[in-house]
Amino acid sequence: MLTSMLMGLGLLLLFEGLGPLLMPRAWQQMLRLLSDQSPEHLRRIGGSLVVAGAVIIWMLSH
């Protein structure tokens, strides 16, 4: 289980790092756009990502 969690964390870091590595200006613009959003909108985005991640994990474990 720990190995799978560390593998997931490694993949997360890998994919999160691709944006600033390959497209730093577009990444900065996206961060500016996100900072202009209301906290409620960001909360909805975060909730959607959590649900999507939980569904993917559930599907892979069954």
Side-chain angles (χ1 to χ4, degrees), residues 28-61:
Q28 285 177 324
Q29 182 180 6
M30 181 188 68
L31 289 177
R32 271 190 229 105
L33 289 172
L34 282 173
S35 69
D36 292 338
Q37 299 299 315
S38 68
E40 292 80 21
H41 189 247
L42 292 175
R43 192 169 287 119
R44 278 191 228 122
I45 292 171
S48 299
L49 293 172
V50 167
V51 169
V55 168
I56 290 169
I57 291 169
W58 180 81
M59 289 175 64
L60 291 174
S61 68

Side-chain angles (χ1 to χ4, degrees), residues 5-28:
M5 290 176 65
L6 290 174
M7 180 71 78
L9 178 61
L11 285 170
L12 172 73
L13 293 173
L14 184 139
F15 285 113
E16 286 291 326
L18 285 176
L21 176 69
L22 299 176
M23 303 174 292
R25 295 208 192 284
W27 192 74
Q28 285 177 324

